[in-house]
């Protein structure tokens, strides 16, 4: 994946240690749009090296097609939900 498509996220996952996740969503989002948002991530995946840094998880998104163009929407939740909350 091109470096230009990757965004680096440093997330509070509720453990007290920041979690780094790289995601190939830059063609859909600018970094400043996502500051302060509460996203849904899978965090029990093995780390994968991206640009020499371990990416420790995956952000969840929904993808659809509209007028022949692919759209991607990160799954976000209410900011009142604390970091590290479990999904059931």
């Amino acid at each position: 994946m091109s470096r230009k498509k990757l965004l680096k996220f440093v997330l509070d996952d509720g453990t007290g240690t920041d979690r780094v996740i790289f995601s190939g969503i830059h063609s859909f989002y600018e970094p400043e749009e996502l500051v302060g948002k509460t996203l849904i991530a899978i965090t029990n995946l093995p780390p994968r090296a991206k640009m020499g840094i371990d990416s420790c998880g995956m952000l969840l998104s929904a993808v659809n097609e509209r007028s022949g163009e692919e759209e991607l929407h990160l799954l976000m939740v209410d900011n009142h939900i604390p970091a590290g909350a479990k999904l059931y």
Side-chain angles (χ1 to χ4, degrees):
M1 181 169 294
S2 165
R3 286 179 178 215
K4 293 180 181 178
K5 292 182 181 181
L6 285 176
L7 289 181
K8 177 183 175 186
F9 292 83
V10 180
L11 306 172
D12 174 1
D13 66 2
T15 64
T17 303
D18 288 341
R19 176 178 296 271
V20 174
I21 297 178
F22 284 92
S23 185
I25 62 167
H26 197 209
S27 56
F28 299 97
Y29 288 94
E30 291 299 323
E32 54 274 3
E33 292 179 78
L34 301 171
V35 172
K37 302 292 185 190
T38 303
L39 306 173
I40 299 175
I42 297 173
T43 59
N44 64 347
L45 301 172
R48 292 190 61 190
K50 304 275 186 184
M51 300 184 339
I53 300 171
D54 280 345
S55 179
C56 299
M58 180 174 63
L59 300 177
L60 292 182
S61 60
V63 178
N64 66 289
E65 190 174 304
R66 181 177 298 177
S67 303
E69 296 283 324
E70 183 178 71
E71 295 181 332
L72 179 137
H73 307 277
L74 283 174
L75 298 184
M76 298 183 209
V77 294
D78 188 295
N79 287 337
H80 292 62
I81 296 174
K86 307 280 187 260
L87 298 177
Y88 293 98

